[in-house]
Amino acid sequence: MYTVLMVDDDLMILENNKTYFDKMGYAVVCADNAEAAEKIILSNALDCVVLDVDLPGMSGFTLCEKIRAKTGLPIIFLSGYTEEESRIRGLSIGGDDYVCKPYSLKELELRVQARIRAGRAAKPPKTLTYGSLSITPASCSADFETHSVDFSSYEFDVLYFLAKHPNEIYTPEQIYDSVWKAPINKGQKSLQVIMGRIRKKLHDICPDHDYIQTKRYKGYLFVPDRE
């Protein structure tokens, strides 16, 4: 089942989208502003975001730029603006598609489906396995024996990067540059929060081993369990 985040301040549009996608078998999460949407993206494993451009407070374009600096999560813009300039801006800042209102729900669903499949095809998932722990990109999840846990896109990107390089220490600056292709700037605190969430989730399924460890004044590393 694909999980889609719908973001729109028009509650009728939001409800219509949710009702249709529910019937098509998707798991649908909703937000009526960009700030709430950003929090959902940080704490949920998602497959696609359907994002209205004209939102109160932070615009859809601004949210897209913030998301795109950290994750390749597919983003489809919805907008009442039909001007070419608006469509070009949406695509140039990292949007994957742009749908003008009013639109066909069937067409929107097909576009969502296509973007999810294209994103997964572009990055063939390779599961990492260390003893009883499996880390699976296709579902942004980790399994330990009979237990499983899901990660948000931000969390999984960091976990997967460190797990691909076991026992290697990376500074916060190196993680930002390698995972999100961006300078850390003021993001050190955010990274600490993400690391805390990753640690807690791994501890929930495997309390006997600390997979993510901190070396004071040096950085973070993934330490596989001894078999």
Side-chain angles (χ1 to χ4, degrees):
M1 178 185 291
Y2 294 138
T3 301
V4 179
L5 171 62
M6 300 283 181
V7 189
D8 204 305
D9 64 327
D10 187 321
L11 298 185
M12 184 174 292
I13 289 177
L14 207 56
E15 182 59 31
N16 287 341
N17 287 349
K18 184 179 188 310
T19 299
Y20 181 84
F21 276 78
D22 280 342
K23 288 180 180 178
M24 298 304 293
Y26 293 79
V28 182
V29 185
C30 295
D32 61 5
N33 62 77
E35 290 79 4
E38 186 176 11
K39 291 179 182 178
I40 291 170
I41 292 165
L42 281 169
S43 58
N44 290 268
L46 302 170
D47 294 293
C48 187
V49 177
V50 177
L51 178 60
D52 185 35
V53 170
D54 195 11
L55 293 169
M58 187 195 309
S59 72
F61 286 148
T62 301
L63 177 59
C64 176
E65 290 177 310
K66 294 184 72 173
I67 295 171
R68 195 50 81 230
K70 298 179 180 178
T71 179
L73 185 66
I75 299 170
I76 298 176
F77 282 115
L78 293 182
S79 178
Y81 302 118
T82 59
E83 295 87 353
E84 182 181 10
E85 182 179 340
S86 181
R87 294 198 301 273
I88 290 173
R89 183 185 176 194
L91 297 174
S92 67
I93 63 174
D96 297 281
D97 208 340
Y98 192 105
V99 177
C100 294
K101 298 177 180 179
Y103 53 86
S104 157
L105 284 167
K106 179 60 179 176
E107 179 186 356
L108 177 60
E109 193 264 332
L110 288 173
R111 288 177 184 250
V112 166
Q113 197 177 97
R115 292 303 168 185
I116 291 173
R117 288 175 176 171
R120 294 191 172 191
K123 295 185 283 186
K126 178 183 177 183
T127 298
L128 301 178
T129 302
Y130 296 101
S132 297
L133 179 70
S134 296
I135 301 170
T136 309
S139 56
C140 286
S141 66
D143 297 275
F144 187 86
E145 296 177 347
T146 60
H147 303 288
S148 181
V149 65
D150 293 329
F151 295 88
S152 72
S153 298
Y154 287 2
E155 295 161 357
F156 191 83
D157 287 346
V158 174
L159 171 61
Y160 193 75
F161 170 73
L162 292 176
K164 281 196 304 182
H165 306 92
N167 297 312
E168 294 185 29
I169 300 173
Y170 288 89
T171 67
E173 291 78 10
Q174 288 173 323
I175 292 172
Y176 253 73
D177 183 59
S178 300
V179 175
W180 297 312
K181 311 300 181 187
I184 193 167
N185 294 331
K186 298 179 180 179
Q188 179 126 7
K189 187 173 181 181
S190 296
L191 183 60
Q192 290 173 349
V193 172
I194 290 172
M195 287 297 185
R197 288 174 176 161
I198 294 171
R199 279 198 177 108
K200 182 182 183 306
K201 290 182 178 182
L202 289 175
H203 183 267
D204 287 344
I205 63 171
C206 179
D208 298 326
H209 183 73
D210 293 325
Y211 285 100
I212 301 295
Q213 299 184 16
T214 304
K215 294 298 181 183
R216 196 173 184 185
Y217 305 124
K218 292 183 178 180
Y220 302 94
L221 72 160
F222 178 89
V223 180
D225 197 2
R226 292 189 187 132
E227 298 186 52

